[in-house]
């Protein structure tokens, strides 16, 4: 069972992101003898509490179901040390995730006025699916060296959330006076690993409809943003696919953009 302590609070805090060094370094993944599960690099993003792996991927570059750096080479310049450094830079620096093509895929995106860099990750496997850079108005589509010049504070894409219901191993609710308003989070996971989170907001009985966006906070810092959702019923609901490993005693809070209160859980071992 997920170890949690339940609280209800308004939080304000800040943290600083750092990233783990590459654990195996650059290798030419396009050599015939390279194993498809060879781990090129592994990067920890402390804003999303996720460690993402860059593996060589399928040997058949035409197989779009594969993952890894072989897809980067599809009609693009070959992978180089700069390519790997660019991917690491994006995974380190991009604070939030957004929807990407393919089931369970999200994107880490950072931008400057002259170049965008995007890394697509599968949230179930935490493997890089593919990565690319672009220069608006230029025929050069993959300036990996230019990616390294994008500041860490560059713009990012907010996270998406999927609809659905899952079992949970911990829950917390903030309840308003007379129970007319509520904010609740239901969390499923084990110890420090969180698999999913279900967010809900109870509306007052006289409300015909309401619209809001759920926001997740880790130790007071926003790290996930859900989809804008509306309901004519009594409750707003949204489901987050998480797959996150959190630090011990981290406070995980849920809020909604139309209310000041939050529901909080403390994740601990």
């Amino acid at each position: 069972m997920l170890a949690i302590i339940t609280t209800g609070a308004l939080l304000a805090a800040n943290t600083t992101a750092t990233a783990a060094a590459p654990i195996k370094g650059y290798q030419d993944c396009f050599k015939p003898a390279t194993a498809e599960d060879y781990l090129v690099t592994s990067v920890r993003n402390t804003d999303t509490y996720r460690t993402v792996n860059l593996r060589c991927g399928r040997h058949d570059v035409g197989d779009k179901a594969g993952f890894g750096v072989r897809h980067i080479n599809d009609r693009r310049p070959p992978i180089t040390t700069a390519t790997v450094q660019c991917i690491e830079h994006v995974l380190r620096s991009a604070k939030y995730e957004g929807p990407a093509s393919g089931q369970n895929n999200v994107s880490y995106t950072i931008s400057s006025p002259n170049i965008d860099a995007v890394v697509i990750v599968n949230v179930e496997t935490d493997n890089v699916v593919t990565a690319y850079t672009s220069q608006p108005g230029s025929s050069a589509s993959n300036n990996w060296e230019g990616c390294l010049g994008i500041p860490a504070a560059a713009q990012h894409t907010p996270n998406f959330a999927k609809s659905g219901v899952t079992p949970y191993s911990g829950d917390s609710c903030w309840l308003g006076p007379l129970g007319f308003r509520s904010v609740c989070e239901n969390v499923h996971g084990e110890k420090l690993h969180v698999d999913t989170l279900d967010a809900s907001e109870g509306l007052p009985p006289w409300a015909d409809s309401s619209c809001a966006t759920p926001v997740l906070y880790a130790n007071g810092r926003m790290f996930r943003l859900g989809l804008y959702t509306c309901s004519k019923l009594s409750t707003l609901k949204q489901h987050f696919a998480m797959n996150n490993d959190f630090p011990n005693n981290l406070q995980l809070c849920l809020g909604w953009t139309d209310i000041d209160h939050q529901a909080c859980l403390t994740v601990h071992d």
Side-chain angles (χ1 to χ4, degrees):
M1 295 291 287
L2 178 72
I4 56 167
I5 300 173
T6 302
T7 60
L10 286 171
L11 299 174
N14 201 355
T15 59
T16 301
T18 58
I23 60 175
K24 288 198 175 183
Y26 165 72
Q27 172 173 317
D28 183 358
C29 290
F30 300 99
K31 292 180 179 178
T34 303
E36 68 181 54
D37 61 349
Y38 180 86
L39 185 60
V40 178
T41 187
S42 181
V43 179
R44 173 79 169 178
N45 184 308
T46 56
D47 281 309
T48 60
Y49 299 95
R50 189 188 306 279
T51 298
V52 177
N53 300 313
L54 174 61
R55 300 181 186 274
C56 283
R58 303 277 177 99
H59 286 257
D60 180 6
V61 295
D63 181 3
K64 301 305 179 184
F67 59 86
V69 298
R70 295 186 185 278
H71 281 193
I72 297 170
N73 200 38
D74 184 15
R75 298 183 301 278
R76 298 179 176 91
I79 184 172
T80 64
T81 302
T83 313
V84 176
Q85 291 173 342
C86 171
I87 294 170
E88 292 172 344
H89 180 65
V90 174
L91 293 177
R92 254 195 327 266
S93 305
K95 294 182 178 180
Y96 307 115
E97 302 151 298
S101 60
Q103 185 177 6
N104 298 322
N105 288 345
V106 296
S107 65
Y108 290 74
T109 305
I110 59 175
S111 303
S112 74
N114 299 317
I115 187 172
D116 298 310
V118 179
V119 177
I120 298 176
V121 173
N122 184 283
V123 296
E124 299 298 328
T125 64
D126 285 324
N127 286 322
V128 169
V129 177
T130 192
Y132 62 90
T133 63
S134 64
Q135 292 178 293
S138 170
S139 59
S141 61
N142 283 264
N143 182 1
W144 302 108
E145 290 81 1
C147 164
L148 302 180
I150 299 176
Q155 66 192 39
H156 54 267
T157 306
N159 180 59
F160 78 106
K162 299 184 295 185
S163 61
V165 178
T166 61
Y168 58 86
S169 50
D171 64 287
S172 172
C173 287
W174 169 85
L175 297 177
L178 303 178
F180 285 152
R181 296 294 300 273
S182 65
V183 175
C184 295
E185 60 178 347
N186 298 331
V187 180
H188 178 257
E190 184 172 352
K191 293 187 177 180
L192 301 179
H193 184 82
V194 175
D195 293 313
T196 60
L197 184 147
D198 285 290
S200 64
E201 178 186 351
L203 307 175
W206 56 84
D208 293 332
S209 64
S210 182
C211 298
T213 302
V215 186
L216 299 183
Y217 298 86
N219 280 346
R221 184 173 183 173
M222 184 177 73
F223 84 107
R224 289 285 182 94
L225 184 66
L227 286 176
Y228 184 73
T229 184
C230 297
S231 175
K232 292 184 178 180
L233 303 176
S234 59
T235 306
L236 293 173
K237 293 182 179 181
Q238 201 159 126
H239 174 74
F240 287 86
M242 301 284 288
N243 194 24
N244 290 115
D245 293 299
F246 290 103
N248 197 21
N249 294 319
L250 177 134
Q251 195 164 42
L252 181 62
C253 294
L254 163 74
W256 291 80
T257 54
D258 65 337
I259 191 169
D260 291 333
H261 298 278
Q262 298 175 4
C264 295
L265 299 171
T266 298
V267 180
H268 66 91
D269 196 347

